[in-house]
Amino acid sequence: MKKQVACQYAIARFLPYAETGEFANVGIVIACPELGLLRVKFAPLRRTKRITDFFEGLNPRIYRESLRYLEVETSRIASSLKNGPAATKMAFEELTRPREALLRFSSARAILSDDPESTLQTLFEKFIERDFATKEYHEKILNKGVATILAGAALKNYFDPEDVGDEDFNVRFPFVNSLDGSPLIAIKPLHLAQDEPSKIMDHGSHWVARVARLKKHGNMPGNLLFAIDKSEKTKQQRVAKEIITDLKDLGAEVVRVDDERAIVDFAQRALDRGH
């Protein structure tokens, strides 16, 4: 069995708009002082679409130049690294120190490793590769799109993120319009465009079950809209259609997330009831 050594790692984060606090994970640095080892791994510079999708309207050049600068800084620090635990620890601290910059590092975290190179790759896959592949990421993008549509129609202020349900069972919706504490109108962007049909079924069925439970408890909003995206591929469309049918059978309305007119017309009900 290989000997495990104590290491530290930190996550490089791209934060273009400090006022919002939103960031995207773009790299990993790991240091193992006992071995005198310092390694980094950044997302490829050419992969900017995921960043510009996440930060709508961002010039990709800003991201590329920021990451390129950090790579140069990392190379400078690594090249000046001297042997010994103390020097490695100092280099790690210098690289990850707090900065007022577009690229910053998370606080340091400890990890035991018997193969730091392999551990670096594992951490990269966990925090960077999967960071942009999860349904949560895609739905965050959809949420921002719906928020933009509502804002453009001067309706965003009528909606807030809220828990719908009771103490026994409740569900968080990103856009809810309530009266006297009772949710009357809710909108949920739903990602149904996964590459694999089984993933569409799993995620969609999860929300079908949630709505069914709310309805059973008498807590389903009278006006519930799912704004979906879906794949253009035949197999994926077939599965998405099944999920859509199930949601409609429960009394929810379903439109495409890019159907601005339908979303605005639905949200307009917040005004139509005089609230």
mmCIF file of all heavy atoms in Angstrom, residues 29 38 40 42 65-81 91-97 99 101 103 105:
data_model
loop_
_atom_site.group_PDB
_atom_site.id
_atom_site.type_symbol
_atom_site.label_atom_id
_atom_site.label_comp_id
_atom_site.label_asym_id
_atom_site.label_seq_id
_atom_site.Cartn_x
_atom_site.Cartn_y
_atom_site.Cartn_z
ATOM 1 N N VAL A 29 -5.413 23.845 -7.897
ATOM 2 C CA VAL A 29 -3.996 23.814 -7.524
ATOM 3 C C VAL A 29 -3.869 22.905 -6.310
ATOM 4 O O VAL A 29 -4.689 22.954 -5.384
ATOM 5 C CB VAL A 29 -3.452 25.223 -7.215
ATOM 6 C CG1 VAL A 29 -4.262 25.914 -6.119
ATOM 7 C CG2 VAL A 29 -1.981 25.153 -6.809
ATOM 8 N N LEU A 38 4.060 20.933 -6.235
ATOM 9 C CA LEU A 38 3.010 21.924 -6.486
ATOM 10 C C LEU A 38 2.540 21.723 -7.922
ATOM 11 O O LEU A 38 3.325 21.801 -8.862
ATOM 12 C CB LEU A 38 3.540 23.345 -6.301
ATOM 13 C CG LEU A 38 2.547 24.486 -6.558
ATOM 14 C CD1 LEU A 38 1.497 24.532 -5.452
ATOM 15 C CD2 LEU A 38 3.272 25.828 -6.661
ATOM 16 N N VAL A 40 -0.837 22.388 -10.884
ATOM 17 C CA VAL A 40 -2.080 23.085 -11.212
ATOM 18 C C VAL A 40 -2.672 22.493 -12.481
ATOM 19 O O VAL A 40 -1.965 21.906 -13.301
ATOM 20 C CB VAL A 40 -1.848 24.598 -11.412
ATOM 21 C CG1 VAL A 40 -1.379 25.267 -10.140
ATOM 22 C CG2 VAL A 40 -0.886 24.842 -12.560
ATOM 23 N N PHE A 42 -5.819 23.830 -15.249
ATOM 24 C CA PHE A 42 -6.855 24.792 -15.584
ATOM 25 C C PHE A 42 -7.706 24.286 -16.742
ATOM 26 O O PHE A 42 -7.261 23.470 -17.556
ATOM 27 C CB PHE A 42 -6.236 26.138 -15.987
ATOM 28 C CG PHE A 42 -5.502 26.836 -14.877
ATOM 29 C CD1 PHE A 42 -4.136 27.058 -14.963
ATOM 30 C CD2 PHE A 42 -6.178 27.259 -13.741
ATOM 31 C CE1 PHE A 42 -3.454 27.701 -13.942
ATOM 32 C CE2 PHE A 42 -5.500 27.891 -12.711
ATOM 33 C CZ PHE A 42 -4.140 28.115 -12.814
ATOM 34 N N GLU A 65 -8.096 36.188 -21.183
ATOM 35 C CA GLU A 65 -6.956 36.973 -20.714
ATOM 36 C C GLU A 65 -6.731 36.798 -19.215
ATOM 37 O O GLU A 65 -5.592 36.753 -18.749
ATOM 38 C CB GLU A 65 -7.155 38.450 -21.061
ATOM 39 C CG GLU A 65 -7.063 38.737 -22.559
ATOM 40 C CD GLU A 65 -7.234 40.206 -22.878
ATOM 41 O OE1 GLU A 65 -7.534 40.995 -21.945
ATOM 42 O OE2 GLU A 65 -7.064 40.587 -24.060
ATOM 43 N N SER A 66 -7.815 36.680 -18.456
ATOM 44 C CA SER A 66 -7.692 36.479 -17.012
ATOM 45 C C SER A 66 -7.046 35.132 -16.711
ATOM 46 O O SER A 66 -6.154 35.025 -15.862
ATOM 47 C CB SER A 66 -9.069 36.560 -16.347
ATOM 48 O OG SER A 66 -9.644 37.827 -16.519
ATOM 49 N N LEU A 67 -7.509 34.089 -17.423
ATOM 50 C CA LEU A 67 -6.961 32.756 -17.196
ATOM 51 C C LEU A 67 -5.515 32.684 -17.667
ATOM 52 O O LEU A 67 -4.668 32.055 -17.013
ATOM 53 C CB LEU A 67 -7.814 31.715 -17.915
ATOM 54 C CG LEU A 67 -7.525 30.247 -17.570
ATOM 55 C CD1 LEU A 67 -7.649 30.014 -16.073
ATOM 56 C CD2 LEU A 67 -8.480 29.332 -18.321
ATOM 57 N N ARG A 68 -5.215 33.349 -18.775
ATOM 58 C CA ARG A 68 -3.838 33.354 -19.285
ATOM 59 C C ARG A 68 -2.909 34.035 -18.284
ATOM 60 O O ARG A 68 -1.785 33.560 -18.034
ATOM 61 C CB ARG A 68 -3.784 34.065 -20.636
ATOM 62 C CG ARG A 68 -2.458 33.886 -21.366
ATOM 63 C CD ARG A 68 -2.504 34.525 -22.751
ATOM 64 N NE ARG A 68 -3.351 33.758 -23.655
ATOM 65 C CZ ARG A 68 -4.482 34.209 -24.181
ATOM 66 N NH1 ARG A 68 -4.934 35.414 -23.872
ATOM 67 N NH2 ARG A 68 -5.175 33.459 -25.017
ATOM 68 N N TYR A 69 -3.366 35.113 -17.673
ATOM 69 C CA TYR A 69 -2.557 35.809 -16.668
ATOM 70 C C TYR A 69 -2.281 34.893 -15.476
ATOM 71 O O TYR A 69 -1.143 34.826 -14.971
ATOM 72 C CB TYR A 69 -3.271 37.072 -16.188
ATOM 73 C CG TYR A 69 -2.617 37.692 -14.971
ATOM 74 C CD1 TYR A 69 -1.484 38.482 -15.091
ATOM 75 C CD2 TYR A 69 -3.127 37.458 -13.691
ATOM 76 C CE1 TYR A 69 -0.851 39.027 -13.975
ATOM 77 C CE2 TYR A 69 -2.511 37.993 -12.572
ATOM 78 C CZ TYR A 69 -1.384 38.778 -12.721
ATOM 79 O OH TYR A 69 -0.766 39.302 -11.611
ATOM 80 N N LEU A 70 -3.304 34.178 -15.031
ATOM 81 C CA LEU A 70 -3.121 33.295 -13.888
ATOM 82 C C LEU A 70 -2.157 32.150 -14.237
ATOM 83 O O LEU A 70 -1.354 31.737 -13.390
ATOM 84 C CB LEU A 70 -4.464 32.727 -13.430
ATOM 85 C CG LEU A 70 -4.425 31.901 -12.136
ATOM 86 C CD1 LEU A 70 -3.878 32.740 -10.979
ATOM 87 C CD2 LEU A 70 -5.814 31.390 -11.785
ATOM 88 N N GLU A 71 -2.216 31.667 -15.446
ATOM 89 C CA GLU A 71 -1.289 30.621 -15.859
ATOM 90 C C GLU A 71 0.154 31.125 -15.836
ATOM 91 O O GLU A 71 1.068 30.413 -15.412
ATOM 92 C CB GLU A 71 -1.654 30.120 -17.255
ATOM 93 C CG GLU A 71 -2.937 29.295 -17.286
ATOM 94 C CD GLU A 71 -3.309 28.863 -18.693
ATOM 95 O OE1 GLU A 71 -2.878 29.539 -19.651
ATOM 96 O OE2 GLU A 71 -4.017 27.846 -18.833
ATOM 97 N N VAL A 72 0.373 32.355 -16.291
ATOM 98 C CA VAL A 72 1.711 32.950 -16.260
ATOM 99 C C VAL A 72 2.183 33.122 -14.821
ATOM 100 O O VAL A 72 3.334 32.823 -14.481
ATOM 101 C CB VAL A 72 1.710 34.315 -16.993
ATOM 102 C CG1 VAL A 72 3.031 35.051 -16.759
ATOM 103 C CG2 VAL A 72 1.467 34.118 -18.474
ATOM 104 N N GLU A 73 1.285 33.614 -13.972
ATOM 105 C CA GLU A 73 1.625 33.799 -12.557
ATOM 106 C C GLU A 73 1.961 32.471 -11.900
ATOM 107 O O GLU A 73 2.912 32.371 -11.107
ATOM 108 C CB GLU A 73 0.451 34.474 -11.841
ATOM 109 C CG GLU A 73 0.652 34.720 -10.353
ATOM 110 C CD GLU A 73 1.646 35.830 -10.053
ATOM 111 O OE1 GLU A 73 2.239 36.401 -10.999
ATOM 112 O OE2 GLU A 73 1.840 36.122 -8.862
ATOM 113 N N THR A 74 1.198 31.448 -12.233
ATOM 114 C CA THR A 74 1.451 30.118 -11.676
ATOM 115 C C THR A 74 2.813 29.606 -12.123
ATOM 116 O O THR A 74 3.572 29.043 -11.318
ATOM 117 C CB THR A 74 0.357 29.143 -12.131
ATOM 118 O OG1 THR A 74 -0.909 29.611 -11.664
ATOM 119 C CG2 THR A 74 0.612 27.757 -11.569
ATOM 120 N N SER A 75 3.133 29.776 -13.388
ATOM 121 C CA SER A 75 4.435 29.325 -13.912
ATOM 122 C C SER A 75 5.577 30.067 -13.220
ATOM 123 O O SER A 75 6.619 29.474 -12.896
ATOM 124 C CB SER A 75 4.505 29.559 -15.416
ATOM 125 O OG SER A 75 3.549 28.783 -16.090
ATOM 126 N N ARG A 76 5.386 31.360 -12.983
ATOM 127 C CA ARG A 76 6.423 32.150 -12.309
ATOM 128 C C ARG A 76 6.696 31.620 -10.909
ATOM 129 O O ARG A 76 7.846 31.429 -10.504
ATOM 130 C CB ARG A 76 6.001 33.619 -12.234
ATOM 131 C CG ARG A 76 7.021 34.521 -11.533
ATOM 132 C CD ARG A 76 6.459 35.914 -11.300
ATOM 133 N NE ARG A 76 5.370 35.912 -10.322
ATOM 134 C CZ ARG A 76 5.555 35.857 -9.005
ATOM 135 N NH1 ARG A 76 6.783 35.766 -8.491
ATOM 136 N NH2 ARG A 76 4.516 35.886 -8.187
ATOM 137 N N ILE A 77 5.625 31.367 -10.183
ATOM 138 C CA ILE A 77 5.774 30.882 -8.807
ATOM 139 C C ILE A 77 6.358 29.475 -8.794
ATOM 140 O O ILE A 77 7.243 29.158 -7.992
ATOM 141 C CB ILE A 77 4.420 30.926 -8.082
ATOM 142 C CG1 ILE A 77 3.977 32.386 -7.895
ATOM 143 C CG2 ILE A 77 4.498 30.215 -6.741
ATOM 144 C CD1 ILE A 77 2.580 32.534 -7.334
ATOM 145 N N ALA A 78 5.897 28.624 -9.701
ATOM 146 C CA ALA A 78 6.395 27.244 -9.745
ATOM 147 C C ALA A 78 7.871 27.196 -10.118
ATOM 148 O O ALA A 78 8.640 26.382 -9.584
ATOM 149 C CB ALA A 78 5.576 26.435 -10.737
ATOM 150 N N SER A 79 8.291 28.070 -11.028
ATOM 151 C CA SER A 79 9.686 28.061 -11.469
ATOM 152 C C SER A 79 10.634 28.547 -10.379
ATOM 153 O O SER A 79 11.820 28.199 -10.370
ATOM 154 C CB SER A 79 9.855 28.942 -12.709
ATOM 155 O OG SER A 79 9.548 30.291 -12.422
ATOM 156 N N SER A 80 10.122 29.351 -9.462
ATOM 157 C CA SER A 80 10.957 29.857 -8.376
ATOM 158 C C SER A 80 10.907 28.964 -7.145
ATOM 159 O O SER A 80 11.534 29.255 -6.125
ATOM 160 C CB SER A 80 10.504 31.273 -7.992
ATOM 161 O OG SER A 80 9.187 31.258 -7.464
ATOM 162 N N LEU A 81 10.161 27.860 -7.258
ATOM 163 C CA LEU A 81 9.981 26.963 -6.119
ATOM 164 C C LEU A 81 11.292 26.268 -5.768
ATOM 165 O O LEU A 81 11.959 25.694 -6.632
ATOM 166 C CB LEU A 81 8.913 25.919 -6.445
ATOM 167 C CG LEU A 81 8.588 24.894 -5.346
ATOM 168 C CD1 LEU A 81 8.014 25.601 -4.130
ATOM 169 C CD2 LEU A 81 7.595 23.864 -5.870
ATOM 170 N N ALA A 91 4.868 28.755 -1.474
ATOM 171 C CA ALA A 91 4.472 28.949 -2.869
ATOM 172 C C ALA A 91 2.960 28.775 -3.031
ATOM 173 O O ALA A 91 2.303 29.540 -3.754
ATOM 174 C CB ALA A 91 5.222 27.967 -3.755
ATOM 175 N N PHE A 92 2.399 27.777 -2.370
ATOM 176 C CA PHE A 92 0.955 27.533 -2.427
ATOM 177 C C PHE A 92 0.200 28.723 -1.841
ATOM 178 O O PHE A 92 -0.793 29.194 -2.418
ATOM 179 C CB PHE A 92 0.620 26.257 -1.661
ATOM 180 C CG PHE A 92 -0.853 25.955 -1.585
ATOM 181 C CD1 PHE A 92 -1.511 25.366 -2.660
ATOM 182 C CD2 PHE A 92 -1.580 26.252 -0.438
ATOM 183 C CE1 PHE A 92 -2.868 25.090 -2.596
ATOM 184 C CE2 PHE A 92 -2.940 25.973 -0.366
ATOM 185 C CZ PHE A 92 -3.578 25.386 -1.443
ATOM 186 N N GLU A 93 0.676 29.225 -0.716
ATOM 187 C CA GLU A 93 0.014 30.359 -0.070
ATOM 188 C C GLU A 93 0.115 31.627 -0.916
ATOM 189 O O GLU A 93 -0.831 32.425 -0.972
ATOM 190 C CB GLU A 93 0.622 30.588 1.314
ATOM 191 C CG GLU A 93 0.289 29.471 2.305
ATOM 192 C CD GLU A 93 1.002 29.639 3.630
ATOM 193 O OE1 GLU A 93 1.927 30.493 3.716
ATOM 194 O OE2 GLU A 93 0.658 28.905 4.588
ATOM 195 N N GLU A 94 1.247 31.815 -1.584
ATOM 196 C CA GLU A 94 1.418 32.979 -2.445
ATOM 197 C C GLU A 94 0.472 32.911 -3.634
ATOM 198 O O GLU A 94 -0.158 33.906 -4.010
ATOM 199 C CB GLU A 94 2.869 33.068 -2.935
ATOM 200 C CG GLU A 94 3.113 34.056 -4.073
ATOM 201 C CD GLU A 94 2.791 35.499 -3.721
ATOM 202 O OE1 GLU A 94 2.671 35.828 -2.508
ATOM 203 O OE2 GLU A 94 2.614 36.306 -4.651
ATOM 204 N N LEU A 95 0.354 31.722 -4.222
ATOM 205 C CA LEU A 95 -0.501 31.568 -5.394
ATOM 206 C C LEU A 95 -1.977 31.762 -5.051
ATOM 207 O O LEU A 95 -2.728 32.364 -5.821
ATOM 208 C CB LEU A 95 -0.287 30.182 -6.009
ATOM 209 C CG LEU A 95 -1.128 29.839 -7.246
ATOM 210 C CD1 LEU A 95 -0.854 30.831 -8.370
ATOM 211 C CD2 LEU A 95 -0.857 28.421 -7.697
ATOM 212 N N THR A 96 -2.388 31.282 -3.893
ATOM 213 C CA THR A 96 -3.815 31.275 -3.550
ATOM 214 C C THR A 96 -4.223 32.405 -2.615
ATOM 215 O O THR A 96 -5.363 32.424 -2.149
ATOM 216 C CB THR A 96 -4.196 29.931 -2.897
ATOM 217 O OG1 THR A 96 -3.436 29.753 -1.678
ATOM 218 C CG2 THR A 96 -3.902 28.766 -3.833
ATOM 219 N N ARG A 97 -3.316 33.335 -2.369
ATOM 220 C CA ARG A 97 -3.664 34.435 -1.450
ATOM 221 C C ARG A 97 -4.852 35.232 -1.993
ATOM 222 O O ARG A 97 -5.074 35.308 -3.203
ATOM 223 C CB ARG A 97 -2.466 35.359 -1.244
ATOM 224 C CG ARG A 97 -2.003 36.046 -2.497
ATOM 225 C CD ARG A 97 -0.825 36.970 -2.228
ATOM 226 N NE ARG A 97 -0.250 37.488 -3.465
ATOM 227 C CZ ARG A 97 -0.745 38.504 -4.159
ATOM 228 N NH1 ARG A 97 -1.842 39.116 -3.718
ATOM 229 N NH2 ARG A 97 -0.168 38.915 -5.268
ATOM 230 N N ARG A 99 -7.147 37.940 -3.531
ATOM 231 C CA ARG A 99 -6.880 38.995 -4.499
ATOM 232 C C ARG A 99 -8.186 39.686 -4.869
ATOM 233 O O ARG A 99 -9.235 39.070 -4.871
ATOM 234 C CB ARG A 99 -6.279 38.425 -5.790
ATOM 235 C CG ARG A 99 -4.901 37.819 -5.681
ATOM 236 C CD ARG A 99 -4.520 37.204 -7.024
ATOM 237 N NE ARG A 99 -3.131 36.793 -7.105
ATOM 238 C CZ ARG A 99 -2.684 35.638 -6.674
ATOM 239 N NH1 ARG A 99 -3.518 34.773 -6.122
ATOM 240 N NH2 ARG A 99 -1.399 35.329 -6.769
ATOM 241 N N ALA A 101 -9.428 40.370 -7.876
ATOM 242 C CA ALA A 101 -9.206 40.089 -9.288
ATOM 243 C C ALA A 101 -10.363 39.258 -9.819
ATOM 244 O O ALA A 101 -11.193 38.744 -9.062
ATOM 245 C CB ALA A 101 -7.880 39.341 -9.471
ATOM 246 N N LEU A 103 -10.058 36.402 -11.257
ATOM 247 C CA LEU A 103 -9.783 35.008 -10.898
ATOM 248 C C LEU A 103 -9.236 34.949 -9.491
ATOM 249 O O LEU A 103 -8.234 35.588 -9.164
ATOM 250 C CB LEU A 103 -8.781 34.395 -11.889
ATOM 251 C CG LEU A 103 -9.398 33.849 -13.179
ATOM 252 C CD1 LEU A 103 -8.330 33.594 -14.219
ATOM 253 C CD2 LEU A 103 -10.162 32.562 -12.907
ATOM 254 N N PHE A 105 -8.998 32.311 -5.717
ATOM 255 C CA PHE A 105 -8.988 30.933 -5.236
ATOM 256 C C PHE A 105 -9.889 30.777 -4.019
ATOM 257 O O PHE A 105 -10.063 31.706 -3.227
ATOM 258 C CB PHE A 105 -7.569 30.497 -4.870
ATOM 259 C CG PHE A 105 -6.711 30.146 -6.054
ATOM 260 C CD1 PHE A 105 -5.909 31.109 -6.646
ATOM 261 C CD2 PHE A 105 -6.722 28.862 -6.586
ATOM 262 C CE1 PHE A 105 -5.120 30.801 -7.747
ATOM 263 C CE2 PHE A 105 -5.948 28.537 -7.675
ATOM 264 C CZ PHE A 105 -5.141 29.505 -8.263
#
